[in-house]
Amino acid sequence: MKKYLITLSALALASTASAYFDIFTGSVLENETVEDNLLWKGNYDTPYTEPTGNVYVNGVNTFKGVTISGTGGLNVDLNFVLSDNAQLTYTSNGFSFNEKYTDISYNLAENATSAKVIFNANQTLALSSDPNNVTDTRSVTIGSGVNAEMKNTLTIQSDATNTINKFVVNGTVNVTNTIFTKGNAIIEVNGKLTGGLDFSDNGDDTGGVQLTINNGGSVELERNAVLRDGTKVDIINGAMSLKSFTTDGTTSISVAKGSSFTATSVTLSKNTSFDLKGTATVDGSFMTLNSGTSTFNVAEGAELTTTGNLNLQRGVTATIDGKINCGGEFLFDKEGTGTLSVTIGSTAEITTQRFRTRSLPLILTSGAKLTINNDSSSNSFVNAGSGSTIEKGATLIINTKNQNTQSIANHASLTIFGTAIIDGGKWLTTARGGIVIDSDDVTIKNTNIAIGNNSDLYGGKFQVNQGRTLNAQDSALLISKQINPATITETNPTGKKEEALLYLVKNSTTYFKGIGFYNTEADLTLTINLGEGAKLILTDFISNGGIDGYGALDANDNIVINNFAENTIGIKNHTASDDSLLSQISASGVDQFYWVKDNVANVWWLSAVAPAVPEPAEWAMILGSLALGLAIYRRRK
């Protein structure tokens, strides 16, 4: 293939005549001015097959742009070769090909280390394919070591079906204003691409951005990005940084291991795939919105950090095997349509300020860890997904120093088979399906357990399963139902009476600080269901200290014990006030309860058997012994 060579130098700018370079004849007309076209393809009748024009650029040069014309030779490759520190400036569009199918590249000459190309006007890369010859390409390449400065906007447009033509950045490209894309715009970044304003895919066309970052390349956008239907972002080996990031339509974002993604906020619309194997940092919220069939994957070894909320909504299938650090609320939402599916794998490690599931159960797989550190918001862990489970081998940790914060607000069922350490906060609340403890590795301290405490937490239940030991010795069991009788409905039990359920299954042992009843007009009932061999040990029968609004049983409050047995319910501290409340405790077949001291166990057991009272003969023996002792004492004196 014949090559046409043209050399541009600073000397060419010294004269005043106006002309152009014809790369096919090789003629050089001297005395170029800034208004001349840089290159001109002449009017030839004979077609050419992708000839290559090598344009050698030396020194500092300024031209209007590039024009390719003529009926012959529809396809031509233009290769600009820039010497060391050379500078080429365009005052108009440097890519005006007049419907010709042309590859154009800017590369350094041998032994050169850097050069600059300046585009002072808006630039449009029309990378459409040749309809008469699909093998002909129309790409633009900024070579390694070349610094391209685009002082206005950059538009990259191609056919919706384009899979060949590309904008390749191996050097550095800085776009002062917006980067627009249209059609199936393919961008490969192996160097550095920066944009001062928005990055936007034109919403009026089909196709989408195909952005690949590789070989340590980077894309840095100072403002927002909108990626529309058909967009695919693959960060294979490199980094992408931008402000707010929004998708609209079928899109995919993939961050490979060793690569990174940074944004101030992320909103993923329906039918979006987010696949993280590297790191992603969001200085704000990360949200999946609307309905569809989106996917959200954080692979083992990957790490996602947000300073704001992380919201997974219906229509999303999520798989979490890596690390998530959420500075706000990690939410399983119920908005939208479709199914929300979240799988937390054995290698997942989630740290968040608070966690909330509005409909989907939380399944914390064996080996996974969820840590909640919350000192500011009203709730740390809100469970509204019935069937939530902390599996054996999984760990739930809730740290709350703020005594106004609820550690757990449980609206459905939550079963703990694994490890749970709940430290601090105002209380744990439970209702309906309740909280079930099926592990010996559960510690509740510096907080209390409230069975029902607001308008939708009626019918509360707390259960300790067979053979398990629960240590909550500095936590009180609070029986509460703050209710306005005028709002009672079919779903809210009729009348003022409300019931809280405590299930202690066979051979389980449970330690509480004591029991406290909420001061309310509603009549409260605590029902204790005792399994065989189960034990409930309280430090104080009624615990008042430090629990605002809670105290002793009101006149119409009561405790009902099912399957009562001796030596099952005990208190370590006993006072006369404990005796006065026995009349509000009832059990089938028991007329009267007593407190009986067990010196061996150092506990007072709730008993249906009255303490032994000495018979008359026993009284005589006792008095006789006292008299004998007194006589001996006097004789010795």
Side-chain angles (χ1 to χ4, degrees):
M1 181 181 295
K2 185 176 180 181
K3 295 185 178 180
Y4 301 87
L5 311 181
I6 297 174
T7 300
L8 306 180
S9 67
L11 296 176
L13 298 176
S15 56
T16 58
S18 177
Y20 58 83
F21 292 108
D22 186 333
I23 67 172
F24 293 101
T25 64
S27 62
V28 178
L29 302 178
E30 302 290 345
N31 305 320
E32 296 300 316
T33 70
V34 296
E35 294 301 321
D36 287 316
N37 294 316
L38 174 60
L39 294 172
W40 180 277
K41 176 186 173 299
N43 186 9
Y44 288 90
D45 295 330
T46 304
Y48 288 87
T49 303
E50 292 195 46
T52 300
N54 286 337
V55 183
Y56 293 87
V57 181
N58 303 316
V60 178
N61 303 269
T62 302
F63 294 89
K64 183 177 181 181
V66 175
T67 299
I68 307 296
S69 67
T71 58
L74 289 179
N75 305 290
V76 61
D77 294 340
L78 299 182
N79 178 29
F80 292 85
V81 182
L82 291 87
S83 63
D84 202 27
N85 296 318
Q87 179 173 304
L88 178 61
T89 299
Y90 295 108
T91 60
S92 185
N93 193 348
F95 305 100
S96 178
F97 301 146
N98 294 341
E99 302 303 323
K100 306 308 175 184
Y101 299 93
T102 303
D103 281 348
I104 188 167
S105 62
Y106 295 88
N107 293 293
L108 292 179
E110 186 176 359
N111 297 322
T113 59
S114 65
K116 181 178 291 187
V117 182
I118 301 174
F119 302 84
N120 282 325
N122 293 333
Q123 300 299 313
T124 299
L125 309 185
L127 305 181
S128 300
S129 299
D130 182 355
N132 301 313
N133 188 348
V134 295
T135 62
D136 292 333
T137 60
R138 196 175 190 184
S139 298
V140 173
T141 300
I142 306 298
S144 178
V146 177
N147 179 12
E149 294 184 5
M150 299 187 178
K151 301 295 187 178
N152 215 301
T153 63
L154 169 65
T155 300
I156 305 167
Q157 62 184 47
S158 188
D159 305 304
T161 58
N162 173 44
T163 59
I164 299 174
N165 302 310
K166 306 174 182 179
F167 177 47
V168 181
V169 179
N170 294 326
T172 300
V173 175
N174 179 49
V175 183
T176 301
N177 289 322
T178 302
I179 301 174
F180 293 106
T181 64
K182 185 175 182 179
N184 201 40
I186 302 175
I187 306 173
E188 290 185 4
V189 180
N190 303 298
K192 185 175 183 178
L193 171 63
T194 63
L197 294 180
D198 298 350
F199 183 99
S200 180
D201 177 26
N202 191 319
D204 297 329
D205 68 281
T206 57
V209 180
Q210 312 298 310
L211 172 62
T212 302
I213 304 173
N214 204 358
N215 300 312
S218 66
V219 174
E220 298 177 7
L221 306 176
E222 294 183 8
R223 285 186 55 184
N224 307 331
V226 178
L227 301 181
R228 304 188 191 278
D229 193 45
T231 294
K232 184 179 182 182
V233 177
D234 284 325
I235 309 176
I236 298 173
N237 177 15
M240 185 174 186
S241 174
L242 61 161
K243 297 292 184 180
S244 67
F245 182 74
T246 304
T247 67
D248 182 10
T250 302
T251 58
S252 68
I253 301 99
S254 176
V255 184
K257 185 177 181 179
S259 296
S260 65
F261 171 83
T262 304
T264 56
S265 67
V266 175
T267 301
L268 304 183
S269 71
K270 62 183 179 179
N271 304 325
T272 296
S273 169
F274 180 80
D275 187 18
L276 180 65
K277 294 183 174 66
T279 60
T281 303
V282 180
D283 188 15
S285 296
F286 189 115
M287 309 184 75
T288 64
L289 295 180
N290 301 315
S291 306
T293 55
S294 298
T295 59
F296 172 88
N297 300 312
V298 179
E300 181 179 357
E303 186 167 2
L304 169 64
T305 300
T306 72
T307 61
N309 298 336
L310 174 57
N311 185 331
L312 300 180
Q313 198 163 321
R314 283 185 178 180
V316 176
T317 299
T319 303
I320 302 170
D321 293 307
K323 289 185 177 181
I324 290 180
N325 307 304
C326 177
E329 179 177 77
F330 187 16
L331 171 64
F332 297 167
D333 208 345
K334 65 179 181 180
E335 300 301 327
T337 61
T339 301
L340 172 60
S341 173
V342 180
T343 300
I344 300 176
S346 60
T347 56
E349 187 174 339
I350 302 169
T351 302
T352 183
Q353 185 186 37
R354 55 192 183 275
F355 171 83
R356 183 163 63 119
T357 172
R358 299 185 64 190
S359 59
L360 179 74
L362 167 71
I363 308 296
L364 202 60
T365 307
S366 178
K369 183 177 181 181
L370 171 60
T371 301
I372 302 172
N373 298 313
N374 182 18
D375 292 331
S376 59
S377 63
S378 59
N379 298 303
S380 295
F381 182 111
V382 179
N383 175 46
S386 189
S388 291
T389 303
I390 311 301
E391 292 186 355
K392 183 178 180 180
T395 302
L396 169 65
I397 299 175
I398 303 176
N399 297 312
T400 303
K401 295 179 181 179
N402 189 338
Q403 289 300 308
N404 294 316
T405 298
Q406 294 189 68
S407 296
I408 294 180
N410 192 67
H411 298 250
S413 62
L414 169 65
T415 303
I416 302 175
F417 295 98
T419 299
I421 302 172
I422 303 168
D423 187 356
K426 187 175 183 179
W427 52 35
L428 286 65
T429 60
T430 180
R432 302 181 192 178
I435 296 178
V436 178
I437 307 297
D438 198 351
S439 170
D440 292 329
D441 295 323
V442 177
T443 300
I444 301 173
K445 56 185 179 179
N446 301 315
T447 188
N448 300 300
I449 300 169
I451 303 185
N453 85 314
N454 57 39
S455 59
D456 59 351
L457 292 178
Y458 57 86
K461 183 182 81 170
F462 191 87
Q463 177 172 317
V464 180
N465 272 358
Q466 181 172 337
R468 298 305 184 185
T469 298
L470 171 64
N471 180 8
Q473 294 185 63
D474 65 353
S475 303
L477 181 68
L478 307 181
I479 314 307
S480 55
K481 179 59 185 174
Q482 187 172 10
I483 177 174
N484 179 357
T487 64
I488 293 175
T489 66
E490 290 182 0
T491 59
N492 211 350
T494 59
K496 288 187 176 182
K497 200 173 188 67
E498 298 293 339
E499 184 178 43
L501 303 175
L502 176 62
Y503 287 90
L504 305 178
V505 184
K506 182 179 179 180
N507 295 327
S508 64
T509 303
T510 303
Y511 297 92
F512 286 129
K513 180 179 181 180
I515 302 174
F517 282 77
Y518 192 71
N519 302 321
T520 177
E521 291 183 2
D523 301 333
L524 306 179
T525 297
L526 168 63
T527 298
I528 302 175
N529 293 283
L530 284 172
E532 181 184 353
K535 285 182 170 54
L536 172 62
I537 310 297
L538 307 172
T539 302
D540 294 291
F541 179 40
I542 298 297
S543 181
N544 296 317
I547 308 173
D548 292 339
Y550 290 86
L553 288 77
D554 289 339
N556 294 319
D557 296 340
N558 59 90
I559 297 174
V560 176
I561 303 173
N562 293 328
N563 305 316
F564 173 77
E566 299 289 329
N567 300 331
T568 56
I569 298 177
I571 58 176
K572 295 183 177 180
N573 300 325
H574 173 265
T575 66
S577 63
D578 297 329
D579 296 330
S580 66
L581 299 174
L582 291 177
S583 61
Q584 292 171 259
I585 304 174
S586 63
S588 178
V590 178
D591 294 326
Q592 170 117 18
F593 279 109
Y594 309 91
W595 293 111
V596 177
K597 179 66 180 295
D598 181 347
N599 292 316
V600 176
N602 193 29
V603 68
W604 292 76
W605 294 113
L606 185 64
S607 175
V609 179
V613 178
E615 295 295 331
E618 294 175 327
W619 278 114
M621 183 180 298
I622 292 171
L623 294 174
S625 298
L626 289 174
L628 179 59
L630 183 59
I632 294 173
Y633 174 75
R634 288 176 175 174
R635 180 176 296 176
R636 287 180 176 175
K637 288 188 68 176

